Amino acid sequence: MALNKSMHPRNRYKDKAPDFAYLASKYPEFKQHVHTNLTGRVGLNFKDPEAVRALTCTLLKEDFGLTIEIPLERLIPTVPLRLNYIHWVEDLIEGGGQRWGIDIGTGASCIYPLLGATMNGWFFLATEVDDMCYNYAKKNVEQNNLSELIKVVKVPQKTLLMDALKEESGIVYDFCMCNPPFFANQLEAKGENSRSARRPPPSSVNTGGVTEIMAEGGELEFVKRIIHDSLQLQRRLRWYSCMLGKKCSLAPLKEELRKHGVPKVTHTEFCQGRTMRWALAWSFYEDVTVPSPPSKKRKLEKARKPITFTVLSPTVRELTDKVASISSSATSSTDVVTAWIEKTLSDLRVLHKRVPCGKSEVSLFLTVVENSWIHIRNKRRDRGRQLREVPRAPPSGGNSTLQSSETKQPETPTPAQATETDSKTDTEESEVIATPQPESSSSTIGGAQASTNGNSPIQESGTKEVDQAVDNTACLEQGQENKVDSTAIALLSAEPDRQEAAAAAVASATTGEGSSDVHHFLFKCLMNVKDEGSDVVVEMHWVEGQNLMNQLCTYLKNQLFRLMVSPL
């Protein structure tokens, strides 16, 4: 039932499929066709004509109070599909009141007039060329006491609208409906030359008679004949409509209407179960309201499955020692893993906040404003070089210790010494990356990295100061130090509803831009951390934005892997 969610909004089966178990318990004639599988689910064999007929008759009886008879040798309609067409006609003609319609080729079931008269009190002229279908349609109308609303007439072969309206000259009809024969020959009807090899075979049986499923030229030529009649009748009907079984028929028929200058044309899609149909409508009235065609983005976006990874108990024990210096309140395994994740997210400048959840789990809502987990080694190397180029403050009288240290200018290194220093720095940065710590300027969680460039204590102190700024989600750009406003971080932790303000602060500190990026983010996701035995499971649920959540998940898993394989 993949297409049920795309049914007409008023279709009663859109959100509630028929309950086969209930129907079987209420209608014995339907019960004999249902079966129960090993899981207890009640099903129906849609390739059995008798089962399909029993379902149609049962639904019409249960949901509309209609009692009908259908021969197995003629077309057995499906109720949800026909109901879609009825609701679309309601949209075309707008409003209630007395309405007159025509059903071209009503079939043995006479289902469109029966539904329209029962639901809306519409008057119908139902035409039919087949003797058996005519007799059954007339009988179905009479046994439901709807003869005053529905008139079934027998017409000659190839008769569509012109001959049928000769005796009805005084009526202006509101609409006409038609379910034309889809196929041009037996090969098409069997799907031998009209179905691609990749397309699965039909899931239901086709019981239609020759006049119901086949016509000269197929549905394309059949509907063109209706268009030809409409060009002569024009304003005798407010809306002309027909249903199509092939999407490829839609474009040439719309082109045919355009060539003849028809002013109002629209189309739609009927979706139900695994079946799709298309419908075309046109009018010569300028004052009619034309419903909008379905959006090209009709296809429903598939639900994204959560990304899950497991933190094994040995890794949790290893994390406990690392997290002890960050959070003394982390006692359970879930708290330990959550504290480590929060520290890693802070190092990545990923906005996060805790949200209400179950007792045995912790939930974090993440807002990612930049992709900070890629090219980290290059970024750290550039940052180290920027730190060495940060100009020292000019000497000033006020702090004697600082002043005396600043007045001592270090010797200018020779090119060979500079090359050696860069080489040592790159080597040490590679060692930092190989360790399992979060990507920050420190080599251990909560610790500070020692100075590697041999500068004075004042320069080393300045380096630690910049590292602290980086830990507070700031960055260095173009040799200048930009710090994130501490109030933005406070907003993130103290007032979750103002997270966007914090995001703007981080974006402003990173890019140097103003508040125009308040609503800018890459993606948002919900992260659940919960116990599963002695292990901890982390689930990431995508909320909105770009599909980059898997990259962040991979980064977190790689950090855990480095934690376990790094030398002690």
Side-chain angles (χ1 to χ4, degrees), residues 158-394:
K158 297 186 178 181
T159 295
L160 297 178
L161 286 171
M162 292 295 297
D163 293 336
L165 293 180
K166 284 181 179 179
E167 299 179 2
E168 309 291 338
S169 58
I171 301 176
V172 175
Y173 286 87
D174 294 282
F175 63 90
C176 74
M177 306 175 67
C178 180
N179 186 15
F182 294 154
F183 310 112
N185 50 55
Q186 286 285 356
L187 291 178
E188 275 195 12
K190 294 179 180 179
E192 295 183 9
N193 62 351
S194 62
R195 254 181 135 80
S196 65
R198 295 178 299 174
R199 188 178 175 189
S203 58
S204 59
V205 66
N206 185 356
T207 62
V210 175
T211 59
E212 293 179 301
I213 64 173
M214 286 187 296
E216 184 179 351
E219 66 179 9
L220 188 61
E221 293 302 321
F222 192 94
V223 177
K224 283 184 178 180
R225 288 165 52 201
I226 297 179
I227 294 176
H228 182 268
D229 282 2
S230 72
L231 293 173
Q232 299 180 60
L233 295 169
Q234 294 215 2
R235 299 170 74 90
R236 284 287 308 278
L237 283 82
R238 292 185 64 85
W239 277 106
Y240 300 85
S241 74
C242 60
M243 185 165 67
L244 303 171
K246 304 174 186 177
K247 188 177 182 180
C248 61
S249 300
L250 193 59
L253 290 174
K254 292 174 69 175
E255 176 62 21
E256 184 77 11
L257 291 168
R258 189 195 64 80
K259 286 194 305 184
H260 290 94
V262 179
K264 303 288 185 178
V265 179
T266 188
H267 72 277
T268 191
E269 297 173 347
F270 299 143
C271 309
Q272 51 285 312
R274 299 176 182 176
T275 303
M276 280 197 66
R277 294 288 183 264
W278 294 262
L280 179 67
W282 63 98
S283 176
F284 295 89
Y285 282 80
E286 295 288 349
D287 60 340
V288 296
T289 302
V290 181
S292 299
S295 171
K296 293 183 179 180
K297 298 181 180 180
R298 179 201 58 80
K299 291 185 178 180
L300 299 176
E301 182 173 316
K302 294 181 179 179
R304 297 174 184 259
K305 295 182 179 180
I307 300 177
T308 305
F309 65 92
T310 302
V311 183
L312 301 178
S313 54
T315 308
V316 175
R317 290 194 294 270
E318 185 75 19
L319 284 176
T320 304
D321 299 333
K322 303 293 183 182
V323 171
S325 59
I326 303 174
S327 175
S328 58
S329 61
T331 56
S332 66
S333 300
T334 302
D335 293 335
V336 168
V337 174
T338 303
W340 177 82
I341 291 176
E342 288 179 322
K343 176 62 171 66
T344 305
L345 294 176
S346 296
D347 293 338
L348 291 175
R349 301 188 294 277
V350 174
L351 300 173
H352 58 277
K353 63 179 179 180
R354 296 200 180 194
V355 295
C357 59
K359 295 182 180 179
S360 59
E361 63 181 11
V362 178
S363 293
L364 301 173
F365 188 83
L366 279 56
T367 302
V368 181
V369 296
E370 61 172 319
N371 191 337
S372 55
W373 53 84
I374 62 172
H375 307 308
I376 293 181
R377 180 173 179 176
N378 293 338
K379 293 177 181 178
R380 183 177 287 116
R381 181 181 293 114
D382 293 340
R383 185 167 62 242
R385 289 170 179 167
Q386 289 174 353
L387 294 178
R388 293 193 299 274
E389 297 172 0
V390 173
R392 293 183 299 276

Side-chain angles (χ1 to χ4, degrees), residues 504-544:
V506 173
S508 177
T510 306
T511 64
E513 297 177 358
S515 59
S516 60
D517 290 333
V518 172
H519 301 289
H520 170 74
F521 59 89
L522 290 181
F523 69 90
K524 296 180 181 180
C525 69
L526 182 68
M527 179 181 290
N528 293 330
V529 184
K530 54 187 177 182
D531 289 323
E532 188 174 276
S534 59
D535 304 328
V536 176
V537 174
V538 180
E539 292 181 350
M540 300 179 67
H541 300 263
W542 181 87
V543 176
E544 61 177 321

